[in-house]
Amino acid sequence: MHLRSLTTKPPGYALATILTSLGGFLFGHDTGIIGPATVMAEFTKYVGSSSPTIHGLIVSSILIPAAVSSFFAGTLADTLGRPRGIAIGSLIFAIGAALEGASIHIAMFVVGRIIEGIGEGLYLGTLVVYICEIAPPKHRGPLTTGPQLLITLGLVVGFFTCYGTANIPSSLSWRLPFLLLAGYSFAFSAAVYLYLPASPRWLTLHGKADEAAAIWDKLDVPAADREKIINQFELGTIQPASDENPSSSTISFPDPRPTPATQTRKPTMKLPEVLSSDSRPRLLMAVFLMGMQQLSGIDGVLYYAPLLFQQAGLSSIESTFLASGLSAIVIFAVSIPALVWADSWGRRVNTIYGGLGMTATMLLMGGLYAGDAVHADAGPGRWVVIVSIYLFAVLYTVSWGVGIRIFAAEIQPQKTRASATNIAHGSNWLTNFLVALVTPTLLAKTSYGAYFLFGGCTFVTAVACWLFMPETRGKSLDEIDQAFRESQVSGLKERVTGVLRRRVKSRMPTTVDA
């Protein structure tokens, strides 16, 4: 019996999730190589002397195209299907990476990053959408963190690829990481196109119920979970069952065979639908959280880790690259328990406390620099900063890195999920651009400004989540829909009135019986 369990094939939805999550590796690899590659001696010789602003523009040139293309990613995924959208985006990404590695002028390098950004915006947001649509509710949290885990693995591989090529006495030192990235991306695009099944939800919305049923079987999704999903397509009515008693749900639905109405129904993005009274609050919440995720400063740390460690007192290029690689290993290591326990931690509580923890570490580092307590030659200040950089990365990974991307996708109504999620990713790209652009300038002009800026952003986000963010852990998508509707009306009101009542009560004079 035990041997049989060891040889049991993993469910199809798990295998599809693993393949889809490999797209996160590409993003992480690019993030891991761009910072170290652009400070290599051979690259600075290739570019010539450049200001911190030019350095920031080279690094961040991928992000505005990614933001723009992400606004159209939902339409692409809704029209052609999730796997084809992912395959097309990753193919464009591969072409851009190849141009970077083969560039003969810095302008060609920047054009390659722009093309890479277009592809990145098209495919990255769709990864989570696809996994969210095939995952059984009780496994949705861990499965949708798969891309984040692979992002951290890509960071590790990217940093140590540059660590290994840094001493090559030619331009191959910085070209090789980008050429390897292009190869990974071509392989991923081909694998997704050939092997990743279509989303059954997408098939059902296009009136292909028979194909959807076959895909559900291929993905090994239990019948009870399929029944919950039927309600998302308005094919019937489902009273959600509790997680403890999944058989308690009552289901009624009409003939699921395609009708002329369902056959002609095309779920492409329509801006009025995304901005409707039902969808707008969730879109705004996702846009805010995905934007503030970057304003936490995480990509400032990842892109410019060598500069941060150099500022803290590590002088040699090898030591800064090694410290950067170790930070990636730490992030990857904590991503594993974060993935396993994703559904054991509440989305709301994890986001709030994670934000407060990141605020504390950022303000600590900023305060040490502002107080001139960080010295390269001696003193504990520099080691406190170095440890705090690692601690910040850990806090981000186990909280915002895991929860926010899941939350942004799962709170959206089915009809606008792909479009709204990709618009939210557009917000992420835009703020990422700002962080990548201004971080080297802030570090050059003031040693503490960036830390105070990012610390303030994480604090504001934690407060906003305390006021407005509903809990979605362990809920079906239909239950999330209901919880979010209720939270928009009662959440803020209950918290504010509770605070006012406590204040009034504290000011009332006490009475003493005669």
Side-chain angles (χ1 to χ4, degrees), residues 279 282-283 286 407-414 416-418 420-421 480:
S279 304
R282 310 179 212 198
L283 172 65
F407 183 83
E410 67 185 1
I411 64 174
Q412 306 303 329
Q414 170 63 34
T416 61
R417 180 170 293 117
T421 302
I480 291 172

Side-chain angles (χ1 to χ4, degrees), residues 150-175:
L150 270 293
I151 287 173
T152 62
L153 179 60
L155 285 171
V156 173
V157 175
F159 275 126
F160 280 100
T161 298
C162 290
Y163 181 73
T165 64
N167 293 321
I168 297 176
S170 69
S171 64
L172 191 63
S173 60
W174 62 266
R175 292 182 188 276

Side-chain angles (χ1 to χ4, degrees), residues 30 34 38 43 46-47 53-65 95-118 174 178 433:
D30 179 77
I34 187 60
T38 53
F43 188 86
Y46 173 71
V47 176
T53 301
I54 296 300
H55 185 193
L57 283 171
I58 293 173
V59 172
S60 63
S61 57
I62 190 175
L63 299 171
I64 290 297
I95 294 171
L99 288 175
E100 288 175 87
S103 64
I104 58 175
H105 190 273
I106 187 59
M108 183 176 173
F109 184 88
V110 172
V111 168
R113 287 199 67 72
I114 291 173
I115 294 174
E116 190 180 1
I118 294 172
W174 62 266
F178 291 103
F433 171 78

Side-chain angles (χ1 to χ4, degrees), residues 38-267:
T38 53
V39 297
M40 289 182 184
E42 289 293 333
F43 188 86
T44 55
K45 184 191 303 184
Y46 173 71
V47 176
S49 59
S50 59
S51 66
T53 301
I54 296 300
H55 185 193
L57 283 171
I58 293 173
V59 172
S60 63
S61 57
I62 190 175
L63 299 171
I64 290 297
V68 173
S69 64
S70 68
F71 288 109
F72 302 97
T75 300
L76 180 67
D78 283 342
T79 303
L80 300 180
R82 314 314 191 210
R84 289 181 180 176
I86 295 170
I88 291 171
S90 55
L91 177 61
I92 296 172
F93 182 91
I95 294 171
L99 288 175
E100 288 175 87
S103 64
I104 58 175
H105 190 273
I106 187 59
M108 183 176 173
F109 184 88
V110 172
V111 168
R113 287 199 67 72
I114 291 173
I115 294 174
E116 190 180 1
I118 294 172
E120 197 168 71
L122 287 177
Y123 87 83
L124 193 61
T126 308
L127 299 179
V128 177
V129 172
Y130 178 81
I131 297 172
C132 188
E133 290 186 344
I134 67 171
K138 62 182 178 180
H139 299 307
R140 190 174 62 245
L143 291 176
T144 50
T145 57
Q148 178 63 29
L149 178 65
L150 270 293
I151 287 173
T152 62
L153 179 60
L155 285 171
V156 173
V157 175
F159 275 126
F160 280 100
T161 298
C162 290
Y163 181 73
T165 64
N167 293 321
I168 297 176
S170 69
S171 64
L172 191 63
S173 60
W174 62 266
R175 292 182 188 276
L176 184 57
F178 291 103
L179 295 175
L180 289 173
L181 176 60
Y184 302 149
S185 304
F186 278 119
F188 174 73
S189 176
V192 166
Y193 184 79
L194 294 174
Y195 300 113
L196 194 65
S199 166
R201 297 181 177 213
W202 180 84
L203 290 170
T204 304
L205 284 172
H206 282 72
K208 300 178 181 180
D210 292 338
E211 291 183 39
I215 296 297
W216 284 128
D217 290 336
K218 184 176 181 179
L219 293 173
D220 303 313
V221 175
D225 293 310
R226 301 183 202 181
E227 291 166 351
K228 292 180 180 180
I229 291 166
I230 291 174
N231 191 42
Q232 299 298 320
F233 304 128
E234 301 174 349
L235 292 177
T237 303
I238 299 179
Q239 301 300 325
S242 64
D243 291 338
E244 294 78 14
N245 185 17
S247 63
S248 64
S249 59
T250 60
I251 307 164
S252 61
F253 49 93
D255 187 350
R257 290 173 296 182
T259 65
T262 58
Q263 286 176 332
T264 58
R265 183 177 171 187
K266 301 294 182 183

